[in-house]
Amino acid sequence: MDRYDSNHSQTEDYMQPEDDWDRDLLLDPAWEKQQRKTFTAWCNSHLRKAGTQIESIEEDFRDGLKLMLLLEVISGERLAKPERGKMRVHKISNVNKALDFIASKGVKLVSIGAEEIVDGNAKMTLGMIWTIILRFAIQDISVEQTSAKEGLLLWCQRKTAPYKNVNIQNFHISWKDGLGFCALIHRHRPELIDYAKLRKDDPFTNLNTAFDVAEKYLDIPKMLDAEDIVGTARPDEKAIMTYVSSFYHAFSGAQKAETAANRICKVLAVNQENEQLMEDYEKLATDLLEWIRRTIPWLENRAPENTMQAMQQKLEDFRDYRRLHKPPKVQEKCQLEINFNTLQTKLRLSNRPAFMPSEGKMVSDINNAWGSLEQAEKGYEEWLLNEIRRLERLDHLAEKFRQKAAIHEAWTDGKEEMLMAKDFETAVLSEIKAILKKHEAFESDLAAHQDRVEQIAAIAQELNELDYWDSPSVNQRCQKICDQWDNLGALTQKRRDALERTEKLLETIDQLYLEYAKRAAPFNNWMEGAMEDLQDTFIVHTIEEIQGLITAHEQFKATLPEADRERQAILGIHNEVSKIVQTYHVNMAGTNPYTVIAPQDINSKWEKVRHLVPQRDHALMEENVRQQSNERLRKQFAAQANVVGPWIQTKMEEIGRISIEMHGTLEDQLNHLRQYEKSIINYKPKIDQLEGDHQLIQEALIFDNKHTNYTMEHIRVGWEQLLTTIARTINEIENQVLTRDAKGISQEQMNEFRSSFNHFDRDHSGTLGAEEFKACLISLGYDIGNDAQKRTGMMDSDDFKACLISMGYNLSEAEFGRIMNIVDPNNMAVVTFQAFLDFMSREATDTDTADQVMASFKVLAGDKNYITAEELRRELPPDQAEYCIARMAPYTGPDGVPGSLDYMSFSTALYGESDL
């Protein structure tokens, strides 16, 4: 075996039949030329993925940098950090890192040292590259339990079996005529080569056709020259194997393409559904905002009306808006918020970024517009009511003016004739005195009416200022009243002057009448007030209130003897007047001029007061008995409520503790909670008993209870919250079970997540603030500052974490901001345990990512950096192929072809990492 080849167990079986590698090179230098060209093209086919290439295989690998890069590209793994120095020791270190990596893959390197590679030893370099090709391009080929060379040869024989003039028996002379290469291409892509036109005696045409088609359509670089193959008696086997293995990998990707297509179909279907939900949200938001835009100007219209009927019609229109037009829009707004939350949940569950509605159509924007609508609505209603009150005031003022004017005119009717009468000239002394007093009373009455006249004038002035429509007639009537008032004042003064000349008439009787009137009036008012109080209905709710009424009534009864003495004194004044009249035979043709209260009226009202007192006693006693019964009901209800209320509160606190404690598995916690729920439901009869006592209290019209702070409404709300809380807590545990089972999370992981969450949830609110969440992530070992490598899916979590720590990464603010956007898409500044669990479960499990979708597209594109519309239509269902074509941006890379599309930016846009 060649000393430059590996001793790997899987390579020995097909390398033994070959002659020694060094001897072949010495006997036929053309082989070395073929290997240089083939190995260089093979290396460049991989290095171009990293944006570089080599020109000389023995020179460009001397510093080890491109050698390490080549191994990283073909293995998908990261090697140790290379040395960037230019010294020989740095180059040897880099090459040794590459050779160590090859050895770590189970390949033994014999006689190949870093010094030979650094020195540019062509044989050693070619031997090392051949070892890499064997390990990474040929070793994994397996057909019917054969491997490596035999497997590749068997694959070629089967694929070319149906073709005439093709007999593949080896990897040298069997390929000289070029028909084997053309047959492989035609078998998989018959549209690329017209095989019937090929001739076995034209190897140059056959070989160049195969090489050109492979390079152009299959993305297989041209690794061989037709002249070298035809001009060599026995072409180099390693060069042929390397080139043929590229065909195997290109065509064996059909199944991968189907898998990739299915993944893309799945992702696109989810994306299409989400886009439809987004379009529905946008339409509903647009319609609602348009309705608000049309409605606000109507509500802001403040054009006043001159009649009450017109303003009442506006008010009726506003009520129709409140009753008929607004409620459906309230439902639409609620549905819009529900749809938005549902869409956000679907996006989060499908690993998509949160939906951001177009500008001006966020839920907050709709809420702001709705707030403006309600503000305009409130202002419109206030304006309507103010206008109606203004018109009502005008109507009220006009009616008030008419009423006061009518009363005043009725009062002044005949007053001028009375003041001009000469009745006092023939009157006796008592009549003169009476006339004088009557005139004094009239003067008092006249003075009292001064306020009414001023009110009439003020009302007329206000009607003028408010632009009342009938102001002229009001002004005319007001002027007439004022003129008449001035005349009455002059006549009153003139009559007083005349009466004062006959003033000295029967002073004693006159004084007695006056005294009677002064004392009878307040006594009469007292009796009328007493009768009103004794007949007044009362409403009390407590024993203290009824006791207060009873005490007040007893105090009233204590004043009755003194009131009776006052009554007898008033009647004594009247009796004294009668005695004087009888004694002196005074002409008393009229009654007391100072009052209309007769002695008979006083006696009649006094008897009625005496009759009402015992009736009041009886009513108060009955109410006292009723209030005592109510007090017993209060105490009965309070005794139970003071037990049930604290019990509910205690249960609520116990549920809160159960929901955050970790005792056993989730199933154990679920069983515990269900048993707890059953014990709570068994408490229902006590709630029903309390409802019965509450019913008795309501029937008794009892509205307060000083013996307890708990009302039945508090008990009901607490009971409903208790049932809701236990049901919601059970549902949260069930969701955690679903998440655990769906994501493959172990019980230990679940306990670790809950323990960390509870530790940082210091206020036991069930949510974490931003800083608490960050601390919780760090406590769980989430120490990521740059996750670019993680998306390749090529490292397990422990290796990736160790790699990042060794490179000095920390949890940056940008990375933390990205995580917060995932767990808190609505920017509420808190993280619930369910959102925390979703994030941690996603980090711990495999989910679709932008890099995975990008890798799938790369398979469909034949490992190119772009993809064509034809390839999309061939590999994807029609609707999803057209979806991609319509949304993919043109590819702008230097290796693009006309019509090439950029699937990389499209893949990142699907997951919100760029604009779609």
Side-chain angles (χ1 to χ4, degrees):
M1 182 180 293
D2 192 312
R3 61 191 180 89
Y4 300 107
D5 291 334
S6 71
N7 289 329
H8 191 276
S9 61
Q10 294 184 353
T11 63
E12 291 179 354
D13 55 345
Y14 62 82
M15 291 302 294
Q16 288 175 354
E18 300 179 0
D19 295 330
D20 184 81
W21 190 71
D22 279 344
R23 186 169 64 253
D24 289 343
L25 289 177
L26 294 173
L27 292 176
D28 192 353
W31 285 13
E32 181 178 347
K33 176 183 177 182
Q34 291 179 15
Q35 289 182 7
R36 285 176 184 273
K37 179 177 180 61
T38 302
F39 291 177
T40 300
W42 184 87
C43 292
N44 284 335
S45 69
H46 292 286
L47 287 173
R48 70 181 182 181
K49 300 175 184 177
T52 187
Q53 64 180 10
I54 62 173
E55 299 295 336
S56 173
I57 198 167
E58 65 269 21
E59 291 296 330
D60 292 346
F61 285 144
R62 291 180 63 184
D63 61 2
L65 294 176
K66 289 188 178 180
L67 178 60
M68 294 179 70
L69 183 60
L70 173 65
L71 290 172
E72 286 186 344
V73 172
I74 62 178
S75 69
E77 302 180 22
R78 289 295 299 272
L79 274 66
K81 187 175 181 181
E83 301 287 346
R84 296 295 179 181
K86 301 297 184 179
M87 298 177 64
R88 176 179 176 83
V89 66
H90 297 142
K91 297 178 181 180
I92 292 175
S93 174
N94 290 339
V95 174
N96 275 326
K97 291 177 181 178
L99 296 178
D100 291 343
F101 179 78
I102 296 173
S104 70
K105 298 304 178 182
V107 178
K108 286 187 177 181
L109 299 172
V110 179
S111 300
I112 298 178
E115 292 78 4
E116 288 85 352
I117 304 301
V118 172
D119 292 338
N121 189 315
K123 297 179 182 180
M124 293 296 181
T125 304
L126 290 173
M128 178 188 65
I129 297 301
W130 174 241
T131 301
I132 293 173
I133 294 172
L134 287 176
R135 173 61 183 84
F136 293 101
I138 299 177
Q139 177 180 314
D140 294 333
I141 298 175
S142 177
V143 179
E144 291 189 357
Q145 307 302 319
T146 64
S147 62
K149 179 179 179 181
E150 286 76 8
L152 183 60
L153 184 62
L154 179 59
W155 178 79
C156 295
Q157 290 171 345
R158 289 190 171 182
K159 295 298 181 181
T160 60
Y163 295 87
K164 66 180 181 178
N165 296 328
V166 177
N167 183 17
I168 305 300
Q169 297 298 327
N170 50 54
F171 286 108
H172 37 82
I173 62 175
S174 294
W175 302 87
K176 288 189 65 173
D177 58 8
L179 291 177
F181 294 113
C182 293
L184 283 177
I185 296 174
H186 186 268
R187 181 65 181 271
H188 294 91
R189 298 289 298 277
E191 77 279 5
L192 300 180
I193 292 180
D194 188 355
Y195 188 82
K197 294 182 178 181
L198 301 178
R199 303 197 318 272
K200 186 174 180 65
D201 59 354
D202 190 3
F204 283 100
T205 300
N206 298 340
L207 288 168
N208 286 326
T209 298
F211 296 162
D212 292 341
V213 169
E215 184 175 32
K216 182 177 181 181
Y217 295 103
L218 303 180
D219 200 26
I220 299 176
K222 192 174 182 179
M223 302 181 185
L224 303 171
D225 286 330
E227 293 78 3
D228 294 339
I229 296 177
V230 175
T232 305
R234 184 174 183 268
D236 181 64
E237 186 177 44
K238 297 176 177 62
I240 298 293
M241 284 181 64
T242 301
Y243 189 55
V244 172
S245 69
S246 298
F247 284 88
Y248 173 84
H249 289 294
F251 294 136
S252 65
Q255 182 63 35
K256 296 179 181 178
E258 181 179 355
T259 302
N262 290 335
R263 178 185 291 273
I264 292 173
C265 291
K266 173 186 171 185
V267 171
L268 293 179
V270 171
N271 214 61
Q272 288 172 315
E273 179 184 0
N274 291 339
E275 285 185 355
Q276 183 61 44
L277 291 174
M278 294 175 189
E279 292 174 3
D280 294 342
Y281 173 88
E282 290 284 337
K283 183 179 183 304
L284 188 57
T286 300
D287 294 343
L288 183 59
L289 289 171
E290 177 61 21
W291 177 82
I292 293 174
R293 185 189 64 79
R294 294 194 311 268
T295 304
I296 287 179
W298 174 68
L299 293 172
E300 291 178 345
N301 181 17
R302 299 293 190 271
E305 299 291 344
N306 293 327
T307 65
M308 177 68 73
Q309 182 179 2
M311 290 305 300
Q312 287 177 340
Q313 182 59 48
K314 279 194 172 184
L315 181 60
E316 186 62 28
D317 292 342
F318 179 75
R319 288 172 177 167
D320 287 342
Y321 155 80
R322 277 273 188 87
R323 184 174 61 254
L324 303 177
H325 303 301
K326 185 180 178 183
K329 299 302 177 182
V330 174
Q331 293 297 322
E332 288 182 15
K333 177 176 177 292
C334 178
Q335 188 62 42
L336 186 70
E337 295 176 353
I338 292 173
N339 291 350
F340 180 83
N341 292 333
T342 301
L343 175 59
Q344 297 293 44
T345 299
K346 288 186 176 182
L347 289 172
R348 185 180 74 253
L349 293 177
S350 60
N351 199 25
R352 299 302 195 275
F355 170 54
M356 291 296 294
S358 58
E359 185 176 359
K361 297 178 183 177
M362 295 285 291
V363 172
S364 59
D365 296 326
I366 294 172
N367 287 333
N368 291 337
W370 190 265
S372 300
L373 174 72
E374 292 188 334
Q375 186 63 34
E377 176 182 315
K378 179 181 178 182
Y380 187 71
E381 183 179 18
E382 291 175 353
W383 175 77
L384 282 175
L385 294 176
N386 288 335
E387 279 299 303
I388 290 174
R389 282 193 289 268
R390 184 182 72 85
L391 292 176
E392 284 180 345
R393 176 159 181 78
L394 280 175
D395 292 343
H396 172 71
L397 286 173
E399 181 61 25
K400 187 175 181 180
F401 174 83
R402 289 190 290 269
Q403 290 179 356
K404 288 186 175 293
I407 293 173
H408 178 76
E409 289 166 348
W411 180 81
T412 59
D413 184 36
K415 292 297 188 292
E416 293 174 311
E417 291 78 6
M418 180 197 72
L419 291 173
M420 292 184 293
K422 303 297 183 180
D423 55 333
F424 59 86
E425 295 179 349
T426 58
V428 296
L429 180 60
S430 60
E431 293 173 343
I432 293 300
K433 193 66 174 177
I435 292 172
L436 182 59
K437 296 302 182 183
K438 185 177 181 181
H439 185 71
E440 291 175 354
F442 172 79
E443 287 179 327
S444 299
D445 199 10
L446 185 67
H449 277 74
Q450 176 68 35
D451 290 337
R452 180 177 288 117
V453 175
E454 292 176 355
Q455 290 173 6
I456 291 172
I459 293 172
Q461 179 65 27
E462 188 172 358
L463 287 172
N464 279 280
E465 292 173 355
L466 295 177
D467 197 20
Y468 181 58
W469 64 274
D470 197 21
S471 292
S473 63
V474 170
N475 293 336
Q476 182 180 2
R477 191 172 184 181
C478 180
Q479 187 61 44
K480 181 180 178 180
I481 290 173
C482 291
D483 293 341
Q484 185 186 34
W485 181 255
D486 292 338
N487 188 41
L488 283 177
L491 291 175
T492 299
Q493 184 60 42
K494 183 178 179 181
R495 183 172 176 83
R496 166 169 279 282
D497 294 339
L499 290 175
E500 286 178 348
R501 291 190 294 266
T502 57
E503 187 177 10
K504 296 179 180 180
L505 297 173
L506 299 175
E507 290 293 336
T508 302
I509 294 176
D510 184 73
Q511 289 297 325
L512 290 173
Y513 274 146
L514 183 58
E515 180 68 17
Y516 175 87
K518 288 181 178 180
R519 298 180 67 172
F523 187 71
N524 182 67
N525 290 336
W526 176 85
M527 287 191 297
E528 290 179 348
M531 288 187 294
E532 182 178 354
D533 291 341
L534 290 171
Q535 297 178 89
D536 186 24
T537 58
F538 52 85
I539 299 177
V540 295
H541 300 97
T542 64
I543 290 180
E544 291 77 7
E545 292 177 353
I546 189 61
Q547 289 295 337
L549 290 178
I550 292 173
T551 300
H553 182 63
E554 292 298 327
Q555 292 173 352
F556 168 76
K557 289 195 295 184
T559 64
L560 290 178
E562 183 179 353
D564 187 46
R565 289 191 291 272
E566 178 64 13
R567 179 185 66 86
Q568 292 176 1
I570 293 171
L571 293 177
I573 294 173
H574 178 73
N575 294 334
E576 184 66 23
V577 170
S578 299
K579 182 178 179 181
I580 292 174
V581 169
Q582 293 175 2
T583 302
Y584 297 100
H585 305 289
V586 176
N587 183 10
M588 298 297 294
T591 59
N592 193 329
Y594 304 113
T595 183
V596 295
I597 302 172
Q600 295 83 355
D601 297 333
I602 293 176
N603 286 330
S604 175
K605 291 179 181 179
W606 176 254
E607 290 299 323
K608 189 171 183 180
V609 168
R610 293 181 60 194
H611 179 72
L612 289 174
V613 168
Q615 294 180 4
R616 184 73 168 184
D617 287 336
H618 180 70
L620 290 173
M621 290 302 104
E622 287 184 344
E623 182 62 27
N624 187 43
V625 172
R626 191 176 74 87
Q627 288 301 324
Q628 290 177 350
S629 175
N630 290 350
E631 185 67 9
R632 287 192 296 272
L633 290 177
R634 289 189 184 95
K635 292 180 178 179
Q636 180 177 337
F637 176 83
Q640 296 187 64
N642 289 335
V643 174
V644 173
W647 182 87
I648 291 176
Q649 184 176 358
T650 299
K651 294 301 177 183
M652 288 288 288
E653 295 172 354
E654 291 175 356
I655 293 172
R657 288 195 300 272
I658 293 174
S659 65
I660 64 175
E661 291 175 351
M662 299 175 295
H663 296 302
T665 66
L666 290 177
E667 287 76 5
D668 295 338
Q669 297 178 31
L670 193 59
N671 291 333
H672 186 194
L673 285 170
R674 285 173 175 162
Q675 293 174 2
Y676 206 80
E677 181 183 33
K678 184 177 180 181
S679 68
I680 290 174
I681 294 174
N682 291 336
Y683 200 77
K684 184 65 166 56
K686 294 189 178 181
I687 303 297
D688 295 337
Q689 181 181 357
L690 195 61
E691 286 282 5
D693 292 341
H694 179 66
Q695 180 66 28
L696 294 176
I697 285 178
Q698 287 186 321
E699 291 172 356
L701 299 178
I702 299 173
F703 301 106
D704 56 0
N705 192 341
K706 67 180 181 179
H707 302 294
T708 180
N709 293 326
Y710 295 99
T711 66
M712 195 63 228
E713 184 63 25
H714 292 157
I715 298 297
R716 290 193 194 106
V717 171
W719 176 252
E720 292 169 358
Q721 289 179 344
L722 181 61
L723 295 178
T724 301
T725 301
I726 187 64
R728 183 171 61 249
T729 304
I730 290 174
N731 179 253
E732 290 176 355
I733 299 300
E734 291 173 342
N735 287 339
Q736 294 174 23
V737 172
L738 291 177
T739 303
R740 181 200 65 190
D741 296 342
K743 300 296 184 177
I745 300 173
S746 66
Q747 184 63 42
E748 290 74 13
Q749 287 177 305
M750 185 67 72
N751 290 341
E752 182 182 7
F753 295 160
R754 169 55 79 180
S755 176
S756 297
F757 189 90
N758 291 345
H759 176 76
F760 291 96
D761 182 16
R762 308 189 192 283
D763 58 358
H764 304 295
S765 63
T767 60
L768 297 181
E771 291 302 319
E772 293 175 336
F773 177 54
K774 183 174 183 181
C776 184
L777 286 179
I778 294 174
S779 75
L780 288 171
Y782 196 92
D783 192 25
I784 297 176
N786 182 349
D787 63 343
Q789 284 185 325
K790 186 174 181 180
R791 296 174 186 167
T792 66
M794 303 306 295
M795 279 190 181
D796 61 34
S797 59
D798 292 335
D799 291 342
F800 180 54
K801 179 179 177 182
C803 177
L804 290 177
I805 293 175
S806 70
M807 296 174 69
Y809 282 98
N810 291 310
L811 191 61
S812 66
E813 291 300 325
E815 172 63 9
F816 182 66
R818 181 188 71 81
I819 296 174
M820 283 301 295
N821 288 334
I822 294 173
V823 299
D824 183 24
N826 294 325
N827 295 324
M828 301 300 291
V830 295
V831 181
T832 64
F833 179 69
Q834 188 60 43
F836 173 75
L837 181 59
D838 288 344
F839 171 76
M840 295 307 298
S841 64
R842 187 179 64 181
E843 291 296 310
T845 58
D846 181 29
T847 57
D848 289 334
T849 66
D851 290 332
Q852 291 175 334
V853 175
M854 195 183 305
S856 298
F857 272 117
K858 194 164 190 177
V859 172
L860 299 188
D863 208 33
K864 300 191 295 296
N865 291 328
Y866 59 85
I867 194 166
T868 66
E870 180 183 359
E871 289 170 332
L872 287 171
R873 292 190 178 103
R874 185 175 67 242
E875 302 294 347
L876 298 179
D879 60 333
Q880 296 186 342
E882 297 304 325
Y883 177 84
C884 293
I885 293 170
R887 285 164 172 76
M888 281 188 183
Y891 179 72
T892 59
D895 55 341
V897 299
S900 58
L901 301 173
D902 187 354
Y903 62 80
M904 294 183 182
S905 64
F906 176 78
S907 299
T908 58
L910 286 176
Y911 290 86
E913 299 176 12
S914 64
D915 295 331
L916 185 57

